[in-house]
Amino acid sequence: MAGFEFERGNEVTWKGWLQKLKIYKEKHGHTWIKVNDPEHTQLATWCRKQRGLYKQRQAGMNRRLTDERITALEELGFQWVRPSKG
């Protein structure tokens, strides 16, 4: 279809989660969601998965987290490492 750009299902789903994270950050001011937060358990799990994929990529074990996805998360202020207490 002319004028339409189709994306693979995984990319659409990933962008959907990124949008949910953006909304969460607008409301709460950060991107570190506790897994035991009953309202945001699925989003917290998705964030934890992104951190795991990033760690694997840093170790050269996985390329599923693309440069574009890393940039999108970092532009949102995504925290790759747990913030220090205090």
Side-chain angles (χ1 to χ4, degrees), residues 13 15 20 39 47:
T13 301
K15 286 182 178 180
K20 289 178 183 184
E39 276 188 63
C47 289

Side-chain angles (χ1 to χ4, degrees), residues 7 10 14-16 19-21 24 30 33-34 46-47 50-51 53 55 58 60 63-64 66-69 71 85:
E7 297 180 90
N10 186 31
W14 193 90
K15 286 182 178 180
Q19 183 62 30
K20 289 178 183 184
L21 182 61
Y24 178 91
H30 61 85
I33 307 164
K34 295 180 181 178
W46 181 82
C47 289
Q50 302 315 299
R51 291 183 183 99
L53 291 172
K55 188 174 181 180
Q58 296 299 98
R63 302 281 306 171
R64 285 180 38 208
T66 64
D67 290 339
E68 293 79 14
R69 288 180 176 188
T71 298
K85 295 180 181 179

Side-chain angles (χ1 to χ4, degrees), residues 1-82:
M1 295 176 120
F4 289 93
E5 183 177 324
F6 292 95
E7 297 180 90
R8 292 185 5 206
N10 186 31
E11 185 67 16
V12 172
T13 301
W14 193 90
K15 286 182 178 180
W17 284 110
L18 182 66
Q19 183 62 30
K20 289 178 183 184
L21 182 61
K22 181 178 180 180
I23 292 166
Y24 178 91
K25 184 181 180 189
E26 288 171 358
K27 183 175 181 182
H28 299 280
H30 61 85
T31 61
W32 194 273
I33 307 164
K34 295 180 181 178
V35 177
N36 62 356
D37 179 344
E39 276 188 63
H40 303 98
T41 303
Q42 290 181 322
L43 183 58
T45 300
W46 181 82
C47 289
R48 185 171 27 163
K49 181 175 182 178
Q50 302 315 299
R51 291 183 183 99
L53 291 172
Y54 182 78
K55 188 174 181 180
Q56 288 176 1
R57 181 176 167 154
Q58 296 299 98
M61 298 176 357
N62 191 325
R63 302 281 306 171
R64 285 180 38 208
L65 189 63
T66 64
D67 290 339
E68 293 79 14
R69 288 180 176 188
I70 291 170
T71 298
L73 287 164
E74 289 179 345
E75 286 175 352
L76 190 57
F78 191 75
Q79 299 164 289
W80 296 109
V81 179
R82 178 187 302 256

